[in-house]
């Protein structure tokens, strides 16, 4: 059975936002920047990576948070890993 790709991406976005909510009090949107909008420390970023890997069953690197600067870009990247 093939899942709807849009639904899959939306689920990745929702899961990513749920993880991020544990590390910031800022409003999180698809366009939120990890660095400027959410102001994640390097420690928080490492914790977010651990939670994403555990919750979504993917492997990502801290460098990916430099490459994919927004929540939407990271969600798209995570969706492409599976």
């Amino acid at each position: 059975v093939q899942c709807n790709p849009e639904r899959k991406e939306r689920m990745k976005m929702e899961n990513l936002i749920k993880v991020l909510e544990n590390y910031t009090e800022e409003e999180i949107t698809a366009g939120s920047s990890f660095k400027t909008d959410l102001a994640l420390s390097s420690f928080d970023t490492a914790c977010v990576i651990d939670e994403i890997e555990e919750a979504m069953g993917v492997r990502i690197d801290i460098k990916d948070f430099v490459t994919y600067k927004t929540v939407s870009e990271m969600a798209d990247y995570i969706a492409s890993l599976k």
Side-chain angles (χ1 to χ4, degrees), residues 23 34-35 38-50 61-63 65-66:
Y23 297 93
F34 295 114
K35 185 174 183 177
L38 304 181
L40 295 177
S41 69
S42 56
F43 178 77
D44 287 342
T45 301
C47 292
V48 166
I49 289 170
D50 285 344
D61 191 277
I62 197 154
K63 293 181 219 167
F65 275 81
V66 175

